Amino acid sequence: MAASADTEEEVFESAKTGYGAEEADVRAIDQTNITSIFWAQKILRTHGTGAWVFGFPNADVRADSQVSVSLTEIDTNNIPFLGPATTQVLNVVPHADGTMTVRYHVGWNSNIRVLFNFIIAN
């Protein structure tokens, strides 16, 4: 299943984007097996049920990565808010090539701006 034909990815740089393990000076904790943590955001203008392939050049994404994704509606100032549309993350699939496929649903009849928030741990 693909995203709706008129789905578009916006260019967006959060003030916090780019804080991968190296930039944030994150180190593995002796009592865990976590070797890296990466956090980033992406914005789509979309609606309905779709799937989008996301990639982050500075992230260590593998098929066995632990990926958490949340989804929320945002306003024109990129501020999350609880609007009348429903948003759901349905599936998240990390791939060996460094990308992730996210299947989602945005319950609205036309494109709205939604923010995908990613946390990737290895």
Side-chain angles (χ1 to χ4, degrees):
M1 172 176 291
S4 60
D6 56 350
T7 297
E8 303 172 41
E9 184 173 346
E10 292 186 17
V11 175
F12 174 72
E13 286 195 37
S14 167
K16 297 178 185 176
T17 298
Y19 284 91
E22 301 80 10
E23 294 87 3
D25 199 30
V26 174
R27 299 286 184 256
I29 301 168
D30 292 339
Q31 295 82 9
T32 74
N33 60 354
I34 295 174
T35 59
S36 68
I37 298 173
F38 182 86
W39 175 85
Q41 297 176 321
K42 290 281 188 168
I43 295 173
L44 293 183
R45 283 182 280 177
T46 190
H47 71 283
T49 301
W52 196 260
V53 178
F54 295 93
F56 302 99
N58 297 327
D60 179 16
V61 179
R62 305 182 298 249
D64 64 347
S65 294
Q66 299 298 306
V67 179
S68 177
V69 182
S70 65
L71 176 61
T72 189
E73 191 171 353
I74 57 172
D75 66 18
T76 56
N77 295 313
N78 300 330
I79 305 298
F81 70 98
L82 185 59
T86 58
T87 60
Q88 299 169 296
V89 173
L90 303 173
N91 303 95
V92 179
V93 181
H95 304 288
D97 67 358
T99 64
M100 295 157 285
T101 300
V102 178
R103 185 180 310 178
Y104 61 87
H105 180 77
V106 175
W108 204 245
N109 294 330
S110 59
N111 281 356
I112 61 172
R113 299 177 77 239
V114 292
L115 177 72
F116 290 79
N117 192 33
F118 295 83
I119 298 174
I120 304 160
N122 288 295

